Amino acid sequence: MGWLSDYNRKYNVTGGQWFLFIAAIFCFIAGFSGEGGWNFWVFFILFGMCWLVSAPFRAIGWANRRLNSRPCPVCGNRVANGETSCAGCGTDFRVR
């Protein structure tokens, strides 16, 4: 696996969170692109539109992750079915 996949697994980052991060950067730049400097309403409206467009995809992704995982008995983080150890605390499920 690549470094980005390892980072996403370690810190439990989803595609929806990456999308909203990039959308926030885009909206921040768009807020500065008008006359008169920073325009909060441009940022707010554009980011709200991105959030609304991505909401159904994030909900479907959340449901898929939730159905294909189980909580770690030690730390409570979700662990995918078939994984033998928890990425958060390192608990080995083969021993338990």
Side-chain angles (χ1 to χ4, degrees):
M1 288 194 193
W3 66 271
L4 187 58
S5 297
D6 294 338
Y7 179 85
N8 291 345
R9 185 176 299 263
K10 181 178 180 183
Y11 294 107
N12 202 19
V13 180
T14 64
Q17 291 171 334
W18 280 113
F19 172 77
L20 288 178
F21 175 69
I22 293 169
I25 292 172
F26 169 75
C27 296
F28 188 76
I29 292 170
F32 268 115
S33 66
E35 294 180 12
W38 170 249
N39 189 344
F40 171 76
W41 292 109
V42 170
F43 172 81
F44 185 75
I45 290 170
L46 285 177
F47 189 74
M49 289 172 50
C50 290
W51 189 86
L52 285 174
V53 166
S54 68
F57 299 105
R58 289 183 288 117
I60 291 169
W62 176 83
N64 284 338
R65 282 178 56 107
R66 185 93 180 155
L67 293 175
N68 296 326
S69 64
R70 63 189 183 281
C72 173
V74 177
C75 66
N77 288 340
R78 306 286 307 173
V79 179
N81 290 340
E83 292 288 326
T84 58
S85 64
C86 176
C89 64
T91 301
D92 190 5
F93 298 122
R94 294 175 290 187
V95 176
R96 299 188 119 237

